[in-house]
Amino acid sequence: MEGDIAGPAPGKRSLSRYYNASQLRADTWQRLKHYSIRLAERNLSARETEKHRKAAAEALGILEPVETYWAFPGQEAFAHLRYLFQKSDYDEMSRFTGRAVRAMVSGSFRRRKIELVSEQREDDEAHDYEAHEDFHEQRPVGRSYFEIMVVDSMSPAQQISLRRGLHAMRRPEDAFTYETVVVPSLEDALIGVLLNPQIQSVIIRYDFPLKSQNTLPPVQRELKRFDLGLQNADPTERGLILAEMLGELRPELDVFLVTDLSVEEIAVRVPANVKRVFYQQEDFLELHLNILRSINKRFRTPFFTALREYSKQPTGVFHAMPISRGKSITKSNWIRDMGEFYGMNIFLAETSATSGGLDSLLDPHGPIKEAQELAARAFHSQHTYFVTNGTSTANKVVVQSLVTPGDIVLVDRDCHKSHHYGIVLAGAEVVYLDSYPLDDFSMYGAVPLHEIKARLLELKAAGKLERVKLLLLTNCTFDGIVYNVERVMEECLAIKPDLVFLWDEAWFAFASLGPTYRQRTAMWTAHRLRKRYASEDYRKRYEAQQAELKGKDDASLLETRLLPDPDRVRVRAYATQSTHKTLTSLRQGSMIHVHDQDFRHKVEDAFHEAYMTHTSTSPNYQIVASLDVGRRQVELEGFELIQKQVEMAMVLRERVTTHPLLAKYFRFLTVKDLIPASYRQSGIEAYYNPEQGWTEFWEAWANDEFVLDPTRLTLYLGLTGIDGDSFKNSYLMDKYGIQINKTSRNTVLFMTNIGTTRSSVAYLIEVLIAIARELEEGIADMSRAERAMHDRRIHSLSEELPPLPDFSRFHDRFRLDKEGTTPEGLMREAFFLSYKEEACEYLGLTDGSIDEAMANGREVVSAMFVIPYPPGFPILVPGQVISAEILAFMRALDVKEIHGYRPDLGLRVFTEAALAESKPQSKAAE
């Protein structure tokens, strides 16, 4: 996605296999090294020499436009490589490419200057580049390296002067070091920040054209999100326009503007991502200091730094925690191996103190408060709060702070169990929303917008809309279904202008790192909607729609893309994220992000009470520090990491699809498999197919109701005859040590993350090939009877799949409005009624007792949450009537861990006598 390569490119070798530009660049350099080595050999025939020379020329042709956007090896060094090739100096070319590739693979160019050109030659016109001296200097150890981009159509001599000027400003005390990339146009600038994740700062000067002279169709196609038809725009505005575009693509970048106009006039119109405006000629020292200062603002980790400093202090421990400073370990004769395993730093940083430079998570005023503010900036929220006992707790905090008894909450039925427990604690009345089913794969998709709007309109017709407080959805789902967050929020706010949204982004924390993903996150969407609703253009659109809808019924509203009233709408969004699941954090490190216009005066006090309720008074400081460091990584290398994460998923997808043996037994489910056509307005069906290569799907991510996160790879097992649970445990884990989280009856789910490497992808491919070969050999050796049994297993996994049950309904005993048309239920009442032993009994799934009861007309009602794990969402909740479809689904489950179900006893259900008891009407209903 982010900076993708899709479709064929000129040359003998098709580039359709390449999804990501960084992978293309790395592989092309490797090929060039190989060709250079071969050309340097003395025993090649003329035919072989010509063959390898042609291949090397093609590789150089691919790399030439790409290297424009990288400081290493740099345009001057690359020109020298071209010169070596043209002179047929293959020995020197081989040395040059070998060293360049080693530096790029190892990252050594980040740590020290790499000398690629070994000697000056009098006849080397291309070597007349003084900037080559840049590669002789040794960088101080420990300094982080990055690259800056200057946008200006300057001459080569001016570029050299610029680089020299910035280099001259370097000081021994500088904490960071950088090299400079110069690009000549607006389009080159956009391509550059997409291609080169090492770019951290952009200096936009005032004289540059719009279009690039390079032809990089795969990357330029991604720029379709912008209107680059800017020929009619005033040239003096191009700097401001580019700054705003960069803010959309990579908001973490530090942008500096150099203008020859009235700097005072420009300063009041610059986008928020512009750090400083310089007039006509930037002062090199000021620019250098501003670049480093801005990087340092993102590099700072207030709490991690404070904790590290605390660990160095000599202290006497006269408080709780004998393990603090490691004393209880180092003085022990029996547990010293724990200290040897973990090392001493973790114990030196263990304390229950909130002084000595530290801070309180429950009432932060120092480094924790600063760390949370920096996290809010990184994740585009108004407020961010750290959570040290997982997103399960984060979910309960948010629900309890927003919801009171009598409120109605619309909930994705297959959301994580923590939301259901949170609703029980808050005492809300629940309206469950059904996701679309994927019966062929025994999994659910996501909740269609039509379903959400229909429920809201029903509640409005029943006079209950004022009591509707919260919509709770999981984005993205465990299986990678991603909502159109903007459309859901906008259309729901058109019906209920102050509706609060809780987006469970437990598996989606990484999404803010890239421009394609980011548009479907809660915080980014909330920011965009507030900006939109304040515009005069939006008000005109709203008024025009209102005129069209006058007198229309609810059926018409369901089919219309509704716009909220700009005078009444309140943007109120919350997101909970498991930082530890998809970013860098110790286990249970999570965050709560808030963008709520009414937070200060309506929610803040209740939020802090809920936070106090669920947060330990002894939070783990190591988790807090890891959240702080994880935020630093997000801001400084998040864009690069998400590029590689998506790339690894796409490589895996392509290899399995194109390998004949793997394709015989396995396939990764496509967009078409997981998202019905009615929710795919773009018509996209797959991210890759062997005939066409990679699919362009920017339009899908911009407009479709649902899209598929490409980093989730659901492997279909139906043709293997092995169910998902057995494949996970008996094959992947026990035989090959590969860990995964989720299975269904005929699938297993693989996920790439920011730590996934090409080696780990290669290992997984090797394992799948080994399993496929084992299957192939096993089938070949089967007797007729064994083959018949194998075929029956395949038929069972492919064809005999029970339909996924929808939520049935709450029993009337747990409904206030028994005669109404809306389905809300009092789950809290059922939950606490189940505490009474005399109100409950067990009915078995295997002895037929539950079937007999239902056949005799009894409404059997669950007294418990029944939750298969994974994935961890309930198929039954307290107070829910049990249906035959639910029983069939339970009996077909392959997972062995089902919370709330005891195989020895059966399902815990309410007695008929308990259900017959009348319940006093609650205060909320009066």
Side-chain angles (χ1 to χ4, degrees):
M1 265 159 43
E2 323 301 351
D4 313 336
I5 290 294
K12 186 174 180 180
R13 180 182 174 87
S14 171
L15 301 182
S16 61
R17 294 178 57 199
Y18 287 99
Y19 172 78
N20 185 280
S22 63
Q23 181 193 2
L24 166 66
R25 180 178 185 246
D27 284 359
T28 306
W29 270 106
Q30 290 284 2
R31 292 200 305 275
L32 183 60
K33 182 183 77 169
H34 168 76
Y35 303 142
S36 300
I37 292 171
R38 294 289 287 140
L39 287 167
E41 295 175 357
R42 308 298 183 197
N43 58 348
L44 292 182
S45 66
R47 182 177 179 181
E48 287 179 306
T49 298
E50 181 59 27
K51 172 186 171 184
H52 290 297
R53 185 173 173 84
K54 184 177 180 181
E58 181 186 334
L60 286 167
I62 292 171
L63 287 172
E64 188 163 26
V66 174
E67 292 304 315
T68 303
Y69 306 101
W70 300 78
F72 181 84
Q75 293 183 53
E76 294 86 357
F78 192 81
H80 181 68
L81 178 61
R82 271 278 192 194
Y83 173 80
L84 295 174
F85 176 71
Q86 290 163 359
K87 284 192 64 176
S88 301
D89 188 348
Y90 301 131
D91 288 336
E92 182 63 17
M93 181 180 175
S94 175
R95 192 202 67 81
F96 184 108
T97 54
R99 188 151 195 202
V101 169
R102 285 194 298 273
M104 284 187 276
V105 171
S106 67
S108 60
F109 71 93
R110 294 173 181 260
R111 299 182 290 276
R112 62 187 177 88
K113 291 294 184 183
I114 305 298
E115 182 184 352
L116 294 175
V117 182
S118 60
E119 60 181 345
Q120 289 271 14
R121 300 182 178 181
E122 292 182 0
D123 60 342
D124 184 356
E125 297 178 5
H127 199 63
D128 189 20
Y129 292 105
E130 298 174 60
H132 272 303
E133 66 190 15
D134 299 352
F135 293 97
H136 302 166
E137 167 194 336
Q138 294 295 312
R139 294 198 179 112
V141 176
R143 291 192 185 182
S144 296
Y145 167 91
F146 63 97
E147 295 179 5
I148 68 171
M149 183 172 71
V150 178
V151 187
D152 194 356
S153 57
M154 57 177 63
S155 68
Q158 290 172 318
Q159 293 183 32
I160 291 170
S161 175
L162 174 68
R163 290 192 182 97
R164 280 181 164 182
L166 289 171
H167 275 222
M169 298 301 105
R170 292 179 175 176
R171 303 170 301 162
E173 62 267 29
D174 288 345
F176 314 100
T177 188
Y178 59 86
E179 297 294 344
T180 306
V181 176
V182 181
V183 297
S185 73
L186 181 146
E187 191 173 17
D188 281 309
L190 298 177
I191 294 170
V193 298
L194 286 172
L195 279 183
N196 184 356
Q198 295 168 24
I199 292 172
Q200 297 290 342
S201 301
V202 181
I203 296 98
I204 302 174
R205 293 174 62 84
Y206 48 80
D207 186 19
F208 54 85
L210 291 173
K211 292 292 184 179
S212 171
Q213 296 302 307
N214 287 330
T215 302
L216 289 168
V219 186
Q220 285 159 320
R221 278 197 291 270
E222 187 166 355
L223 301 181
K224 287 181 179 179
R225 73 181 76 226
F226 297 118
D227 175 16
L228 293 180
L230 302 173
Q231 286 81 0
N232 297 327
D234 190 328
T236 62
E237 297 291 308
R238 289 178 183 176
L240 295 174
I241 293 170
L242 175 57
E244 192 166 348
M245 289 176 169
L246 293 174
E248 286 287 318
L249 284 178
R250 291 183 58 185
E252 79 280 5
L253 292 177
D254 300 314
V255 179
F256 303 92
L257 191 63
V258 183
T259 179
D260 57 353
L261 301 176
S262 168
V263 69
E264 298 84 1
E265 178 189 344
I266 292 293
V268 299
R269 296 192 290 123
V270 294
N273 60 325
V274 174
K275 304 301 180 185
R276 183 163 175 185
V277 181
F278 294 93
Y279 181 59
Q280 286 192 338
Q281 180 65 49
E282 68 273 24
D283 178 274
F284 282 133
L285 179 59
E286 277 300 304
L287 182 57
H288 174 77
L289 293 176
N290 273 275
I291 289 170
L292 296 188
R293 185 182 300 119
S294 295
I295 291 292
N296 190 58
K297 285 181 180 179
R298 288 187 274 154
F299 185 84
R300 286 181 62 248
T301 46
F303 186 74
F304 173 64
T305 301
L307 191 62
R308 190 169 55 183
E309 291 303 311
Y310 171 86
S311 71
K312 299 175 184 177
Q313 298 175 13
T315 61
V317 179
F318 293 95
H319 58 74
M321 296 185 68
I323 203 172
S324 180
R325 318 298 292 181
K327 300 298 184 183
S328 65
I329 295 172
T330 57
K331 294 171 67 67
S332 172
N333 294 316
W334 295 95
I335 63 170
R336 289 180 184 173
D337 55 339
M338 182 180 180
E340 293 168 0
F341 179 75
Y342 283 107
M344 282 305 296
N345 277 346
I346 193 170
F347 304 114
L348 291 173
E350 254 324 338
T351 180
S352 63
T354 58
S355 56
L358 300 179
D359 200 359
S360 166
L361 182 62
L362 293 171
D363 188 24
H365 290 85
I368 292 180
K369 183 175 185 291
E370 290 181 61
Q372 292 182 152
E373 289 170 349
L374 292 176
R377 180 187 68 195
F379 291 95
H380 318 292
S381 68
Q382 293 176 322
H383 313 282
T384 289
Y385 298 89
F386 292 167
V387 180
T388 59
N389 40 350
T391 305
S392 294
T393 291
N395 291 334
K396 293 170 194 169
V397 168
V398 176
V399 170
Q400 185 172 323
S401 66
L402 293 170
V403 177
T404 59
D407 288 339
I408 295 175
V409 178
L410 277 63
V411 183
D412 170 9
R413 195 277 305 269
D414 36 294
C415 65
H416 191 264
K417 66 179 184 178
S418 57
H419 293 293
H420 305 270
Y421 286 116
I423 291 165
V424 165
L425 294 174
E429 296 180 45
V430 187
V431 174
Y432 278 118
L433 304 169
D434 284 313
S435 299
Y436 64 82
L438 295 164
D439 293 326
D440 290 345
F441 312 113
S442 296
M443 66 177 71
Y444 289 95
V447 182
L449 180 55
H450 188 280
E451 159 96 352
I452 302 169
K453 289 169 64 178
R455 291 299 184 197
L456 285 171
L457 290 170
E458 285 175 4
L459 290 160
K460 181 180 180 180
K464 300 177 183 179
L465 192 60
E466 288 304 310
R467 290 173 50 211
V468 176
K469 186 66 170 289
L470 178 70
L471 172 62
L472 195 163
L473 297 171
T474 304
N475 191 47
C476 69
T477 70
F478 211 146
D479 301 290
I481 309 301
V482 183
Y483 285 86
N484 188 328
V485 176
E486 179 179 304
R487 185 173 176 188
V488 170
M489 290 181 64
E490 190 154 77
E491 293 214 51
C492 290
L493 288 171
I495 300 170
K496 169 75 171 168
D498 61 347
L499 184 64
V500 187
F501 300 86
L502 170 52
W503 294 95
D504 182 340
E505 296 180 349
W507 296 94
F508 212 46
F510 72 93
S512 65
L513 309 188
T516 304
Y517 276 101
R518 189 183 304 119
Q519 64 188 320
R520 291 192 174 228
T521 63
M523 294 299 101
W524 188 255
T525 299
H527 169 76
R528 286 170 59 90
L529 289 181
R530 285 192 66 180
K531 184 178 178 181
R532 177 182 303 166
Y533 298 152
S535 71
E536 190 58 34
D537 179 65
Y538 173 80
R539 180 176 294 277
K540 292 176 181 176
R541 287 175 53 216
Y542 167 75
E543 290 172 352
Q545 183 179 84
Q546 288 301 107
E548 291 177 9
L549 292 176
K550 189 174 182 180
K552 297 290 181 67
D553 58 11
D554 284 358
S556 299
L557 299 182
L558 282 172
E559 303 306 321
T560 301
R561 182 159 185 172
L562 302 175
L563 300 175
D565 184 344
D567 292 326
R568 298 177 60 211
V569 69
R570 307 295 290 173
V571 176
R572 309 186 63 191
Y574 293 74
T576 53
Q577 293 180 347
S578 294
T579 314
H580 67 103
K581 282 188 171 75
T582 64
L583 296 173
T584 297
S585 167
L586 293 176
R587 189 174 177 87
Q588 295 194 346
S590 296
M591 296 188 193
I592 300 170
H593 303 297
V594 180
H595 191 121
D596 182 354
Q597 288 182 265
D598 296 335
F599 183 76
R600 289 291 186 198
H601 62 280
K602 287 188 176 180
V603 181
E604 188 172 24
D605 290 340
F607 182 92
H608 288 301
E609 285 299 306
Y611 193 79
M612 295 281 188
T613 300
H614 294 283
T615 301
S616 170
T617 54
S618 301
N620 188 313
Y621 274 175
Q622 318 313 319
I623 297 177
V624 176
S626 72
L627 289 169
D628 196 13
V629 173
R631 186 277 316 158
R632 177 206 285 174
Q633 185 178 44
V634 163
E635 289 201 283
L636 289 169
E637 58 182 344
F639 180 73
E640 180 175 10
L641 293 173
I642 195 175
Q643 274 191 330
K644 292 179 178 178
Q645 175 181 352
V646 177
E647 174 191 324
M648 293 301 97
M650 292 305 199
V651 167
L652 186 54
R653 192 173 264 109
E654 182 263 336
R655 295 296 187 268
V656 170
T657 302
T658 56
H659 192 286
L661 181 59
L662 292 180
K664 183 176 179 180
Y665 293 101
F666 304 113
R667 72 180 180 92
F668 285 118
L669 298 185
T670 64
V671 179
K672 181 180 179 180
D673 292 319
L674 294 172
I675 303 174
S678 57
Y679 308 128
R680 289 183 281 111
Q681 291 80 0
S682 67
I684 186 173
E685 295 187 349
Y687 290 148
Y688 177 84
N689 70 64
E691 291 76 30
Q692 297 178 355
W694 299 109
T695 305
E696 293 182 45
F697 45 89
W698 326 122
E699 180 188 346
W701 274 75
N703 300 313
D704 284 3
E705 181 167 349
F706 298 112
V707 291
L708 177 64
D709 172 10
T711 68
R712 309 301 173 91
L713 300 109
T714 301
L715 190 70
Y716 178 67
L717 306 172
L719 299 180
T720 67
I722 307 169
D723 66 82
D725 193 60
S726 298
F727 194 84
K728 169 188 172 182
N729 294 308
S730 301
Y731 286 84
L732 294 176
M733 188 63 208
D734 294 347
K735 293 185 72 171
Y736 298 103
I738 291 177
Q739 300 179 22
I740 62 170
N741 287 102
K742 181 184 178 293
T743 68
S744 74
R745 187 146 187 260
N746 56 15
T747 69
V748 293
L749 176 68
F750 297 101
M751 294 182 287
T752 60
N753 58 52
I754 62 172
T756 303
T757 64
R758 295 183 79 168
S759 296
S760 57
V761 168
Y763 176 62
L764 177 56
I765 293 169
E766 290 170 13
V767 166
L768 293 176
I769 290 173
I771 295 172
R773 285 174 177 159
E774 182 181 334
L775 287 168
E776 189 89 337
E777 293 170 3
I779 292 170
D781 294 342
M782 286 178 180
S783 67
R784 183 177 298 178
E786 289 172 330
R787 182 58 188 264
M789 185 181 300
H790 176 72
D791 290 342
R792 284 196 295 273
R793 285 198 300 268
I794 291 177
H795 186 268
S796 173
L797 292 173
S798 304
E799 306 294 337
E800 297 175 352
L801 297 159
L804 294 167
D806 287 336
F807 183 79
S808 51
R809 61 183 176 85
F810 284 106
H811 189 272
D812 284 349
R813 168 69 172 78
F814 306 110
R815 297 187 67 237
L816 293 176
D817 187 3
K818 297 177 177 55
E819 306 301 326
T821 58
T822 56
E824 67 274 12
L826 297 163
M827 189 163 60
R828 179 185 175 94
E829 299 288 344
F831 181 86
F832 286 109
L833 180 61
S834 71
Y835 281 28
K836 297 179 179 180
E837 186 176 358
E838 66 277 12
C840 301
E841 62 180 321
Y842 286 93
L843 294 178
L845 276 180
T846 57
D847 63 5
S849 58
I850 193 167
D851 299 278
E852 182 181 351
M854 292 170 64
N856 290 330
R858 174 178 169 182
E859 286 191 318
V860 181
V861 180
S862 178
M864 303 283 287
F865 285 104
V866 178
I867 306 170
Y869 196 85
F873 60 78
I875 56 174
L876 284 170
V877 304
Q880 181 183 349
V881 175
I882 300 173
S883 66
E885 292 78 14
I886 292 171
L887 292 181
F889 181 70
M890 284 191 67
R891 285 168 173 148
L893 283 171
D894 295 307
V895 297
K896 296 176 174 60
E897 184 179 352
I898 304 178
H899 302 171
Y901 169 66
R902 294 183 57 177
D904 55 332
L905 296 175
L907 287 169
R908 186 175 171 91
V909 301
F910 290 114
T911 65
E912 291 183 279
L915 294 174
E917 292 177 5
S918 61
K919 188 186 83 62
Q921 198 170 40
S922 71
K923 292 287 183 184
E926 292 178 357

mmCIF file of all heavy atoms in Angstrom, residues 618 686 776:
data_model
loop_
_atom_site.group_PDB
_atom_site.id
_atom_site.type_symbol
_atom_site.label_atom_id
_atom_site.label_comp_id
_atom_site.label_asym_id
_atom_site.label_seq_id
_atom_site.Cartn_x
_atom_site.Cartn_y
_atom_site.Cartn_z
ATOM 1 N N SER A 618 -0.540 0.080 41.540
ATOM 2 C CA SER A 618 0.867 -0.317 41.379
ATOM 3 C C SER A 618 1.124 -0.663 39.911
ATOM 4 O O SER A 618 1.422 -1.813 39.564
ATOM 5 C CB SER A 618 1.200 -1.521 42.267
ATOM 6 O OG SER A 618 0.962 -1.234 43.626
ATOM 7 N N ALA A 686 -9.388 -8.932 -5.477
ATOM 8 C CA ALA A 686 -8.181 -9.501 -4.873
ATOM 9 C C ALA A 686 -7.064 -8.480 -4.960
ATOM 10 O O ALA A 686 -7.083 -7.585 -5.802
ATOM 11 C CB ALA A 686 -7.780 -10.798 -5.574
ATOM 12 N N GLU A 776 0.906 -34.552 -0.002
ATOM 13 C CA GLU A 776 0.994 -35.172 -1.316
ATOM 14 C C GLU A 776 1.438 -36.639 -1.198
ATOM 15 O O GLU A 776 0.854 -37.539 -1.797
ATOM 16 C CB GLU A 776 1.988 -34.379 -2.177
ATOM 17 C CG GLU A 776 2.011 -34.784 -3.619
ATOM 18 C CD GLU A 776 1.005 -34.029 -4.469
ATOM 19 O OE1 GLU A 776 0.008 -33.510 -3.915
ATOM 20 O OE2 GLU A 776 1.194 -33.962 -5.680
#
